[in-house]
Amino acid sequence: MDRPLERKPLRADAARNVDKIITAARQCFRELGPEVPLQTIATTAGVGPATLFRNFADKEQLVLAALSRQLRLTVDPVVEDALAGMDAAVGLLRVIDAVVQVASEDANLLGAVAGRRGLLVGITGGLIDSMAELLARGQGQGSLRRDISIEDMVRLVAMLIGAVDTMEPGSRAWERPVALLEDAIRTERPSRPLPAQTPIPGMTFQEPAHDDGAHHSSGR
């Protein structure tokens, strides 16, 4: 899968430093939030600030590298299996599962680039191409609606990623909205129950009163 900002091969010690910095970045963002200082990341990685800035000019580059690595490690194998599989609809949904799971587990990384579309498009360019291929195959197989475009799919996945803000980080709450998306894009709705509902952190909702069937006359 294509990735932006391809680097020249690094010496072994430099490559180890980059790996330590990216690993520390994921840990710090996850534990301390999207505003974590780069100095804290360098300290956690066991390197000096100069080493960090020699490899990453700013927080955006570091976040891009960390997200790109997670997609490569977590999502790319799923994409490869999906493209090699016979059922394109199943493959596409497994890819979506993998993407939204990364978004849930690394919500603070995404928060650090919120609103910066260029970075996210750069990360996901090759992924979108693979989703487009799976969508076209599924439509040809008759399992996915023909009136859905890849633009629709990108927006639907973006909505799912945005919904991660309403979930406990790292939870499996995303499974229910992904199932609702599956209901919307398949030509036939799957005969299975939705995954369990989960509460939105910090919010409570009052159940609406049920109509008992009695209606009051308006006098007319």
Side-chain angles (χ1 to χ4, degrees):
M1 189 178 298
D2 296 334
R3 294 291 177 219
L5 301 179
E6 292 295 332
R7 297 171 175 269
K8 294 180 180 179
L10 297 171
R11 300 190 320 271
D13 58 339
R16 284 193 294 271
N17 282 336
V18 167
D19 185 67
K20 288 192 295 184
I21 291 167
I22 291 176
T23 299
R26 288 193 66 230
Q27 176 186 341
C28 290
F29 279 116
R30 187 177 288 187
E31 296 177 356
L32 303 175
E35 302 303 323
V36 61
L38 291 178
Q39 174 65 56
T40 301
I41 295 172
T43 300
T44 302
V47 303
T51 299
L52 188 151
F53 284 110
R54 187 162 54 245
N55 290 283
F56 303 101
D58 53 31
K59 184 181 285 189
E60 290 184 7
Q61 280 196 8
L62 178 54
V63 167
L64 176 62
L67 285 172
S68 185
R69 186 175 77 166
Q70 281 311 108
L71 288 173
R72 185 174 67 251
L73 294 177
T74 306
V75 179
D76 281 9
V78 179
V79 171
E80 291 174 7
D81 287 345
L83 291 172
M86 296 296 293
D87 190 325
V90 169
L92 178 60
L93 288 157
R94 286 176 178 166
V95 170
I96 293 170
D97 278 352
V99 170
V100 182
Q101 185 170 357
V102 168
S104 177
E105 292 177 351
D106 288 292
N108 285 335
L109 271 177
L110 286 170
V113 293
R116 295 169 185 156
R117 294 183 184 178
L119 284 179
L120 296 180
V121 169
I123 291 170
T124 57
L127 177 60
I128 292 171
D129 291 342
S130 298
M131 289 176 56
E133 182 174 344
L134 291 167
L135 174 63
R137 285 189 199 175
Q139 290 170 330
Q141 292 170 355
S143 56
L144 295 174
R145 289 171 50 170
R146 288 185 173 273
D147 57 348
I148 293 177
S149 67
I150 186 58
E151 289 83 3
D152 293 324
M153 291 305 307
V154 170
R155 290 180 175 126
L156 288 169
V157 172
M159 288 167 59
L160 289 173
I161 292 172
V164 166
D165 288 340
T166 68
M167 305 170 190
E168 291 289 353
S171 72
R172 305 284 297 183
W174 50 267
E175 291 179 338
R176 185 178 176 95
V178 168
L180 290 169
L181 180 144
E182 180 180 7
D183 289 350
I185 67 174
R186 279 192 176 273
T187 51
E188 295 184 9
R189 181 173 175 177
S191 57
R192 48 100 177 100
L194 288 173
Q197 183 64 273
T198 57
I200 297 176
M203 296 186 69
T204 57
F205 298 91
Q206 184 176 358
E207 291 292 331
H210 294 289
D211 190 345
D212 60 4
H215 298 279
H216 295 288
S217 171
S218 63
R220 288 181 296 179

